Amino acid sequence: MAPLVPKSGDAIFASIDRVNAELFTLTYGAMVRQLLTDLEEVDVVNKQLDQMGYNIGVRLIDEFLAKSNVSRCVDFKETADVIAKVGLKMFLGVTASVSNWDPEGSSFSLVLDDNPLVDFVELPDTFQGLHYCNILSGVIRGALEMVSMKTEITWIRDMLHGDDAYELRVKLLKQIPEEYPYKDDE
Amino acid sequence: MIGVGKIKHYTNLLEKPLSRGRQEVSLSAFAFLFSELVQYNQTQVDNIAELERRLEDAGYAVGARVLELLCHREKVADSLEKGTEHEDEYMISEKELLVNRFISIPKDMGAFNCGAFVAGIVKGVLDSAGFPAVVTAHFVPMEGQQRPRTTILIKFAEEVLRREARLG
């Protein structure tokens, strides 16, 4: 079979079904509001959002791999680019930039200027500790874990806290070798 | 309680142009999000009625904030009909409601319908526009079709009908 050419984020986004971003944004807002009402503590809500994101990420990766035709990433740098340019574009319709690589190449910053999750959102004083978009960190963590990378993801900058952009720090903890339950027949 | 407490004064939020309304996200992003919303609510309730109620409340919050209803499709809903039995009832029906497309209902959940979320949105929109109504979502099995249609039933409040009558 001829090798599949990886598609650009724009091309994939144009070819899939899309919905109005406002609906998405408001649904997310309704969900965060429900969590805040039920759980009350911002730390608990942050954890819950991360967990929900994780649940999404482990399923989202399948769709991503199927639709994007990307081949196995050679190194973590390629992974970072793929997330920023293809992954985020495909699902959220926005791209991010990758920056601030550490000298070993094991952690980078993902910077988003545009974030559909937070349109029309303001954080009241009582919830300043809330990482409103924490679902994103969970999604990336879950998706990467399914392709054998264990990561730790933290928020560096958050526009809802007054910063000028959204910055996520993605740190590769370790590569988990894939385990096959049975011998390969080659 | 949510909403209580000072809101920090970010002038830019209200001054941001609304032109970004034409932005889109992938359908699957919405589907994933909605599925988590439903799953989370499942852990918070004991029965289906409560689950539907919570989804409806979430939808209401959405509807109250958006008057352009579900404009992600070129065409509008499949049909808008007036109920035959009661003067104050209208129905919007859709063959495959967006929120039901990716959801399968386990047998023990019986008549649960995620359309409750959409019903909430419609109710929110109507309330904000000054047309209070009771809005519910129903499955209507159709002959010859695998999946039932979803109908959103709108029952307008008394005052709306009286007002309509006055306006002639």
Side-chain angles (χ1 to χ4, degrees):
Chain A
M1 198 173 91
L4 296 165
V5 178
K7 300 191 190 151
S8 79
D10 288 315
I12 306 171
F13 192 60
S15 67
I16 54 174
D17 287 336
R18 297 177 295 282
V19 297
N20 183 313
E22 258 174 47
L23 174 64
F24 180 74
T25 305
L26 292 170
T27 304
Y28 185 66
M31 191 169 87
V32 176
R33 241 191 328 274
Q34 265 191 344
L35 289 175
L36 284 168
T37 315
D38 294 338
L39 305 171
E40 286 169 20
E41 301 275 319
V42 291
D43 290 327
V44 184
V45 175
N46 284 339
K47 267 210 193 57
Q48 180 70 30
L49 283 174
D50 183 77
Q51 182 59 44
M52 286 165 122
Y54 181 84
N55 295 343
I56 292 179
V58 302
R59 288 151 56 204
L60 180 136
I61 186 71
D62 279 335
E63 186 175 332
F64 173 75
L65 292 172
K67 295 221 166 94
S68 66
N69 296 340
V70 292
S71 47
R72 203 177 192 80
C73 287
V74 170
D75 59 12
F76 198 50
K77 282 202 164 62
E78 212 185 310
T79 310
D81 283 329
V82 166
I83 298 174
K85 304 281 172 248
V86 186
L88 283 174
K89 181 75 197 181
M90 227 173 106
F91 291 100
L92 294 180
V94 295
T95 48
S97 52
V98 175
S99 61
N100 292 353
W101 278 101
D102 71 345
E104 294 106 45
S106 66
S107 72
F108 64 93
S109 279
L110 202 59
V111 181
L112 286 108
D113 295 306
D114 199 8
N115 187 344
L117 290 169
V118 303
D119 283 340
F120 321 128
V121 175
E122 245 181 12
L123 278 188
D125 280 344
T126 40
F127 295 116
Q128 281 301 309
L130 181 67
H131 290 302
Y132 187 83
C133 320
N134 219 25
I135 206 168
L136 262 183
S137 63
V139 172
I140 298 177
R141 187 169 63 89
L144 286 177
E145 196 167 304
M146 289 298 111
V147 285
S148 317
M149 284 176 262
K150 218 161 164 60
T151 53
E152 186 184 286
I153 308 196
T154 41
W155 286 100
I156 308 287
R157 279 187 284 166
D158 189 333
M159 270 170 126
L160 294 176
H161 293 151
D163 298 317
D164 52 349
Y166 292 95
E167 187 178 333
L168 272 171
R169 191 86 196 144
V170 182
K171 186 172 147 87
L172 177 64
L173 295 174
K174 61 177 177 167
Q175 296 253 12
I176 319 156
E178 277 188 46
E179 282 174 19
Y180 290 100
Y182 44 78
K183 257 166 69 109
D184 258 351
D185 288 328
E186 209 54 326
Chain B
M1 252 307 302
I2 314 287
V4 175
K6 252 166 6 100
I7 300 210
K8 239 204 220 141
H9 190 55
Y10 288 132
T11 47
N12 11 347
L13 183 69
L14 293 173
E15 285 162 17
K16 253 198 203 171
L18 280 179
S19 56
R20 288 146 60 82
R22 281 281 84 200
Q23 245 189 344
E24 294 177 308
V25 298
S26 76
L27 171 61
S28 58
F30 177 76
F32 279 123
L33 181 66
F34 186 71
S35 128
E36 281 304 309
L37 179 69
V38 175
Q39 284 183 63
Y40 168 73
N41 279 296
Q42 270 183 302
T43 66
Q44 301 287 314
V45 301
D46 301 314
N47 59 62
I48 298 177
E50 255 186 79
L51 181 54
E52 285 200 349
R53 184 74 225 280
R54 283 184 70 107
L55 284 184
E56 200 188 297
D57 286 344
Y60 185 91
V62 174
R65 288 162 174 75
V66 65
L67 282 187
E68 272 179 44
L69 178 66
L70 294 177
C71 62
H72 56 279
R73 299 199 194 180
E74 245 88 54
K75 64 182 177 91
V76 294
D78 286 341
S79 74
L80 171 65
E81 294 149 28
K82 200 160 142 54
T84 44
E85 289 123 51
H86 304 276
E87 265 303 307
D88 54 354
E89 282 183 359
Y90 286 82
M91 295 175 290
I92 301 176
S93 70
E94 189 70 34
K95 201 159 73 172
E96 185 84 80
L97 203 55
L98 184 69
V99 298
N100 283 331
R101 235 170 99 172
F102 298 103
I103 307 259
S104 57
I105 316 283
K107 284 264 177 348
D108 59 334
M109 293 195 75
F112 170 66
N113 189 343
C114 288
F117 183 68
V118 177
I121 298 182
V122 175
K123 183 165 193 295
V125 169
L126 291 175
D127 257 7
S128 302
F131 291 92
V134 173
V135 188
T136 44
H138 304 273
F139 276 130
V140 178
M142 302 290 287
E143 285 215 18
Q145 273 171 27
Q146 269 262 335
R147 292 172 66 96
R149 288 177 86 90
T150 306
T151 294
I152 309 289
L153 181 64
I154 304 171
K155 198 176 163 71
F156 285 106
E158 259 298 305
E159 56 189 273
V160 176
L161 299 162
R162 282 203 296 266
R163 194 175 61 205
E164 286 300 300
R166 274 205 313 276
L167 295 171

